[in-house]
Amino acid sequence: MKKEFTITVYTENQIGLLNRIAIIFSRRKINIDSMNTSPSEIEGIHRFTILIDETEEVVRKVCRQIEKQVEVLKAYYNTEEEIVWQEMALYKVSTDEIAAKVKVERLLRECGARAVAIRKDFTVFETTGHREETDKLIKALEPHGLIEFVRSARIAIIKESKGFHVKLKQFENREPGTEVVENEFLNRQEEVFSM
Amino acid sequence: MEALEIIDQKKARESATTIPAPVTQPAETVSIAGSKAVLEAFVAEGVDTIFGYPGGAIMPIYDALYDYNDQLKHILVRHEQGGIHAAQGYARSSGRVGVVFATSGPGATNLVTGLADAMIDSTPLVCITGQVFAHLLGTDAFQEVDVINITTPVTKWNYQVTDAKEIPSVLAKAFHIAGTGRPGPVLIDITKNAQLQKFDYEGYVKCTHIRSYRPKPIVRPEYIAEAAKLINEAEKPFVIFGQGVILGKAENEFKQFIEKAGLPAAWTILGLSALPTDHPQNVGMLGMHGNYGPNVLTNECDVLIAVGMRFDDRVTGRLDKYAKQAKVIHLDIDPAEIDKNVKAAVPVWGDCKETLPMLTKLVESKKHTEWLNKFGEFTKQEQEVVINKELNPDTEELTMGEVINVLNELTNGDAIIVTDVGQHQMVACRYARFNESKSNITSGGAGTMGFALPAAIGAKYGAPHRTVVAVIGDGGVQMTIQELGTIMQTEINVKILILNNQFLGMVRQWQQLFHDKRYSFVDIASPDYVMVAKGYGIEGQKISQRKEIRTALQKMLDHEGSYLLEVMVGKENNVFPMVPQGCSVAEIRLS
């Protein structure tokens, strides 16, 4: 059964790696719902957050292919329950419309929107939250002339993760600890081996 | 905060991605050009042969090469695809990293087929491509092609160098990555300015560690124990092995393992020659045109032990009917292969050079005579229906099999056989006999027609003291026939055996069996190969009579230098047995 999985990849900072990771999905005709690259908790280590809708079997195999790339340190995959995640959205609406209709103001309050720019002709609101929350505001604003809308990629924190510091230290060791090279996945075959 | 103390961030930054190993050259700072640094790296890595083709963007490297004539042999090929296939042949016959030079643009794109081939067949290569000046990147400059992005899916690693200072460390990484773990092709694209740029050279430091790259997993003994338990309890255990045994240089370890546990062993076409043909436990070939017994009994064994193989669809046939009754033990160095196609009951992630001896220690000495004999029974049936007809035909037309059979007798199974792709490849793999490992060189995963002729040239350079016979069909030979020019110029001794059935035989066979004999564009004409060879100064002969086979092959083998022998074989012979596409291995057809 397909469902949403969030893949977190720790990598070296290397030109071309984004492409290497992206083509692992496109080769298998898997659509990437969103992808974010950012620094991680460790300087020099990058973190990809990739959202896809697939079966766990496919996601597990894809993660192994990602980890196979020379400059990838680790790939994890998680279901929504295992992560804390956010997406940010921006909405541009006509200022006249906002000023004229109190209803709109109430809508924005209810959706926890924040004005980030107010000009004579337009106002830009921002919300941060889960997909349903950002979607709710689109629906609400559409009848009032939503001029522009954009949503960021998902970013996510893994609830169980203790961070990458310890792991990285092992990676740097010539004689690595078992956590890095052992057959971790053998213990829990149902999970991705790198967890 | 606690975590932050564990790792000193500044230190992490400084250590970058590699930890320096002892310098192999005296550390004196001299100013040299990037082009020279490339060649210094090759010398330090023990490269002796380079296959290549010069061009505008790689000229500084070729200029530097002029002074390295005594240390590096450069083989000028006739096409970059020929160059990379030759490097593959070199790597496969020698067990070392093959090296290729090509220029930017079309020179580099001509490598792509070979890269894909080397990627899927795990062949270690380092390819150097020239690139336009860094300031011209992205301007649609002359012979500028985005090589890095074109080759990303078909390389284990690739990297573009725009600053000469990077060359020593990048090449050290390239050789390390290409040759370790599951080997594969690496491409380094070097802009012309970096080749020309002078920099302070401090010697070449071999790379032994990249923090994000773990080629050698630590083997966990508890899984070895679990695997050994399964094998010891098994009544009908069956080993299937692939190229991993050869790449891991674990032929002896493998033999000891199957001998102690008394296991029948069958090979994939890339595993062929890892175990001598004569070995009593060698039960033959797996897959679509493999032997009868190994295919049928895959679906009867109780424990299936896969060693260094990846369950390719040509081996497994229909996956949901493949070895469902068996518990699978999968030994592989690449964790992405474990559970990819076939779920493993016991996955043993590791280098088989290490894991096999650990297993051997724990398995009980057994014979499994009855089970082994069962393979023999199937062989008997196959012999009656297929093999005898192929090797001792009563037809007027020659068969490919009988030619290979005589070749076996004349070479005693000591030759390196390089095959192309198609019917002749399947026949050669089925019937050629091998005593030594690294003797079968073929394009397996990619099925690249045109592979054999250039690969045979490379194979001879990789193993100069061995006889190299390229067995090629009339289709494949015409794809890279220009490499006869390379043979002419280098005077390398390669025997070329063309099995000509005047058809693109494998496609024709499928059209006959599955497309109502609608022979759509498989009728391929050939030039007079003997005359073509003569044009290149290579002697040759064409035969079509049974009585000529032995003398002609003997003449070919005895001839000093290269020789081309064209044998006209039956036009519409089919390769059997065959597992039709979409069928289970147990549904293998004998006719």
Side-chain angles (χ1 to χ4, degrees), chain A residues 12 19 172 182-183 187, chain B residues 149 211 214 220 223 349:
Chain A
E12 299 290 351
N19 188 28
E172 288 182 338
E182 71 169 323
N183 277 354
N187 287 335
Chain B
N149 279 309
R211 72 175 176 189
R214 286 286 170 204
R220 291 250 303 252
Y223 296 100
W349 178 25

Side-chain angles (χ1 to χ4, degrees), chain B residues 126-140:
Chain B
V126 170
C127 302
I128 307 289
T129 51
Q131 182 55 282
V132 300
F133 285 87
H135 72 270
L136 292 175
L137 288 171
T139 65
D140 302 327

Side-chain angles (χ1 to χ4, degrees), chain A residues 34-46:
Chain A
S34 87
M35 181 190 257
N36 183 76
T37 76
S38 79
S40 71
E41 57 270 28
I42 301 165
E43 200 179 327
I45 301 288
H46 267 231

Side-chain angles (χ1 to χ4, degrees), chain B residues 105-117:
Chain B
T109 55
N110 281 343
L111 296 180
V112 172
T113 302
L115 288 170
D117 195 285

Side-chain angles (χ1 to χ4, degrees), chain B residues 305-437:
Chain B
I305 306 130
V307 185
M309 58 84 72
R310 59 185 176 82
F311 294 105
D312 178 76
D313 59 279
R314 285 298 193 266
V315 162
T316 64
R318 196 171 151 174
L319 211 51
D320 60 359
K321 289 186 178 174
Y322 181 79
K324 285 292 167 198
Q325 80 296 341
K327 292 203 172 88
V328 177
I329 300 169
H330 194 174
L331 284 73
D332 209 290
I333 199 165
D334 179 358
E337 288 303 338
I338 294 174
D339 287 352
K340 188 185 81 176
N341 294 335
V342 172
K343 262 250 179 281
V346 183
V348 181
W349 178 25
D351 184 340
C352 61
K353 181 97 181 166
E354 253 182 88
T355 54
L356 285 170
M358 290 167 83
L359 258 182
T360 308
K361 215 180 250 177
L362 297 184
V363 294
E364 293 161 8
S365 277
K366 282 195 180 168
K367 285 274 181 264
H368 291 295
T369 317
E370 204 180 311
W371 168 235
L372 198 58
N373 286 345
K374 204 154 182 197
F375 285 87
E377 287 162 27
F378 278 96
T379 306
K380 240 179 246 161
Q381 289 182 54
E382 186 180 343
Q383 224 137 21
E384 277 165 27
V385 185
V386 181
I387 300 175
N388 287 345
K389 269 199 253 172
E390 182 70 31
L391 302 188
N392 304 297
D394 47 16
T395 55
E396 199 179 313
E397 288 179 326
L398 305 190
T399 66
M400 294 181 178
E402 64 180 317
V403 180
I404 300 295
N405 201 30
V406 178
L407 184 67
N408 284 335
E409 287 172 29
L410 300 180
T411 60
N412 293 317
D414 288 330
I416 292 179
I417 307 285
V418 186
T419 52
D420 215 76
V421 171
Q423 286 187 318
H424 74 278
Q425 175 192 33
M426 292 299 113
V427 170
C429 287
R430 283 175 54 81
Y431 298 109
R433 308 188 72 78
F434 297 101
N435 304 322
E436 237 182 279
S437 182

Side-chain angles (χ1 to χ4, degrees), chain B residues 42-64:
Chain B
F42 284 2
V43 172
E45 291 287 350
V47 172
D48 55 17
T49 311
I50 301 163
F51 301 91
Y53 204 100
I58 199 169
M59 277 180 66
I61 289 178
Y62 271 87
D63 184 63

